[in-house]
Amino acid sequence: MKESIIIKNLGPLQDIIIEDIKPLSILIGSSGSGKSLLMKTISMMRYIYKRVNIRSYLINSGLKRSPFRLRFESMLHDDMDFYLKQSNVKIIYKVEFSSGWNYTVEYSDGTIKVPKKIADDDLVFAKESWVSETRNVIPQWIANPANGRGSLGFYFTETLNDFGEGANVLKEIDMAFVGARLEIVKVKGILRFMLKIEGVSNPIELRFASSGMQTSAPLALLVKYFSNDFSFKDAKRRSVLSYLYDTDQLAEFHPSIELAAVKSLVQMHIEEPELSLDPRSQIKLLDTLIDTAFINNTNNVNLMFATHSPYIVNALNLVMARTRGTALAADKIGVYRLVDGRNINLMSQDQDGRHIVDTGDLTEPMAEILDEYRQLMR
């Protein structure tokens, strides 16, 4: 399965072309360059395509009445509604298969066009997960159940809901990247999140930990949950059987392919994984996330980051050297820098033909500071 996307005239994203969205994709750029907007657009198109897959499964299984309608307006959240109302916006999201079949979701002039049907062999049941940059609020949020849900927007609420599901399944999270371990315990029916920190005798509640621990704990939990403990069996049943019961069409349902046989995929979209972490911890966190999602995983998981961190991008060269011959080969990694509304592919090859990330431009600010310092000291 190969994904691609073209975006024209969407806010700061004027001319975006990604011909092959890789299982591990990194978006880097300056503030306001459109990293999160690009990731939200990809997430939205993936979600629409997921709904087309579910509808196609129902059609292929004999439903006579038209399955649920795709209401595009209901899929626009927070700032997406604003950007998609601008003129001349065009988005083309395509999924291609080795069989030669391809399917396109296209948005243009306020209209969304989707495939009429997807063949059984190409069906994919995907779970889209969004990990918001406002996840640092979660430790305080869960400590006060009286907080009103949704006040921080759709994407935070999605993150919070997924975190709650994961926390009810997992017992502990290894956070060696910050020298800690998160333990999840239930006291009088209420979940408590306790950190055991190296060199500290007594555990502390997550909400009292450092800002780096508060932002990285929900991220580490979510990646572990979706990589190993998320139940596609339950998710598929909820998506399909609940619709059949609600519309009284169970008798018409004769599956052409068993739900268990439909391919499964988790697609995680992560804002600023580096939040409040020092450079060394950022690099260690990257190693942890990759190991969890691609090496020691049960579910098929894709990760996409929107980041400001040159340390994470530079560390990808170490990742590619370490993961040669594993499930995360270098050709499954994509790195893009957003500049002036366009995306620049930072993946390259050295003189020996090995994949590398060209990080030269990312060191420019440090070089400029050094040059200015030298001039001032003359």
Side-chain angles (χ1 to χ4, degrees):
M1 172 178 160
K2 174 184 173 183
E3 300 173 282
S4 63
I5 195 162
I6 297 172
I7 301 172
K8 304 286 186 181
N9 306 314
L10 182 65
L13 306 177
Q14 292 300 298
D15 188 13
I16 299 294
I17 301 175
I18 302 180
E19 296 179 350
D20 188 0
I21 303 174
K22 301 294 187 177
L24 175 61
S25 294
I26 312 292
L27 310 174
I28 189 168
S30 60
S31 298
S33 60
K35 301 181 299 300
S36 287
L37 179 59
L38 173 54
M39 198 161 64
K40 287 177 181 176
T41 304
I42 292 172
S43 176
M44 179 186 71
M45 301 304 274
R46 282 173 163 174
Y47 178 76
I48 294 170
Y49 184 70
K50 167 189 174 177
R51 301 293 288 174
V52 174
N53 273 263
I54 296 173
R55 188 173 71 175
S56 295
Y57 178 76
L58 294 169
I59 293 172
N60 297 350
S61 299
L63 265 66
K64 297 176 182 178
R65 280 175 284 168
S66 176
F68 54 83
R69 294 179 59 192
L70 294 168
R71 293 182 173 84
F72 180 64
E73 294 78 10
S74 67
M75 302 177 193
L76 304 181
H77 306 289
D78 298 349
D79 55 347
M80 292 303 296
D81 186 40
F82 167 77
Y83 285 114
L84 285 167
K85 285 181 178 178
Q86 297 175 358
S87 60
N88 300 318
V89 175
K90 188 168 187 176
I91 306 169
I92 301 173
Y93 169 79
K94 183 180 289 187
V95 179
E96 303 175 61
F97 292 89
S98 56
S99 62
W101 286 94
N102 62 76
Y103 306 92
T104 301
V105 178
E106 182 173 344
Y107 174 87
S108 181
D109 297 325
T111 302
I112 190 79
K113 297 178 182 178
V114 302
K116 292 183 178 180
K117 191 171 72 169
I118 296 173
D120 281 341
D121 289 345
D122 297 334
L123 289 173
V124 178
F125 189 97
K127 163 64 181 178
E128 282 71 41
S129 168
W130 186 272
V131 184
S132 171
E133 63 183 345
T134 53
R135 61 186 178 274
N136 63 307
V137 179
I138 289 178
Q140 306 297 329
W141 204 273
I142 57 180
N144 182 8
N147 279 315
R149 296 294 171 92
S151 61
L152 291 181
F154 172 82
Y155 293 99
F156 172 76
T157 302
E158 287 288 291
T159 304
L160 183 63
N161 290 340
D162 286 342
F163 178 86
E165 289 184 10
N168 277 297
V169 173
L170 300 173
K171 301 298 182 186
E172 61 180 21
I173 304 295
D174 185 1
M175 295 175 56
F177 52 87
V178 286
R181 175 175 294 275
L182 179 67
E183 294 187 350
I184 305 169
V185 296
K186 186 171 286 190
V187 179
K188 295 182 180 180
I190 298 175
L191 291 177
R192 296 186 66 192
F193 299 83
M194 307 301 297
L195 271 177
K196 288 188 174 181
I197 303 172
E198 292 177 7
V200 178
S201 57
N202 296 320
I204 64 171
E205 284 194 56
L206 178 59
R207 58 177 170 153
F208 299 129
S210 70
S211 57
M213 291 181 179
Q214 292 189 45
T215 59
S216 59
L219 172 55
L221 182 148
L222 286 166
V223 172
K224 182 176 181 181
Y225 170 58
F226 283 118
S227 298
N228 292 286
D229 298 277
F230 177 74
S231 173
F232 272 105
K233 182 179 179 180
D234 293 341
K236 290 175 180 178
R237 285 179 174 175
R238 286 195 301 269
S239 296
V240 174
L241 295 181
S242 62
Y243 172 79
L244 295 173
Y245 280 114
D246 290 344
T247 57
D248 195 26
Q249 297 188 76
L250 191 60
E252 300 175 13
F253 180 66
H254 302 288
S256 56
I257 179 175
E258 292 298 323
L259 267 174
V262 177
K263 295 181 287 291
S264 303
L265 173 65
V266 179
Q267 295 170 313
M268 300 193 68
H269 311 84
I270 301 168
E271 289 187 300
E272 300 185 38
E274 73 276 9
L275 276 176
S276 301
L277 292 176
D278 66 271
R280 291 188 184 277
S281 295
Q282 292 179 33
I283 296 169
K284 291 178 180 178
L285 173 63
L286 176 66
D287 288 338
T288 297
L289 299 182
I290 288 173
D291 181 75
T292 304
F294 297 105
I295 310 300
N296 295 312
N297 58 314
T298 301
N299 292 325
N300 185 16
V301 179
N302 287 352
L303 299 180
M304 178 175 287
F305 301 152
T307 181
H308 291 107
S309 173
Y311 303 105
I312 285 179
V313 176
N314 274 279
L316 285 172
N317 286 314
L318 294 176
V319 169
M320 287 189 289
R322 292 170 184 155
T323 58
R324 280 183 291 178
T326 70
L328 187 66
D331 61 356
K332 295 183 178 179
I333 299 174
V335 186
Y336 297 93
R337 184 183 182 193
L338 300 189
V339 180
D340 297 330
R342 292 169 171 78
N343 58 295
I344 301 171
N345 187 355
L346 298 186
M347 293 298 293
S348 184
Q349 291 184 322
D350 63 16
Q351 59 186 10
D352 298 317
R354 291 173 298 206
H355 290 84
I356 60 169
V357 185
D358 182 359
T359 61
D361 288 348
L362 302 181
T363 62
E364 284 181 358
M366 295 300 295
E368 291 170 358
I369 291 171
L370 180 59
D371 287 345
E372 184 175 352
Y373 173 78
R374 287 172 173 169
Q375 291 176 10
L376 292 171
M377 296 304 293
R378 286 178 181 173

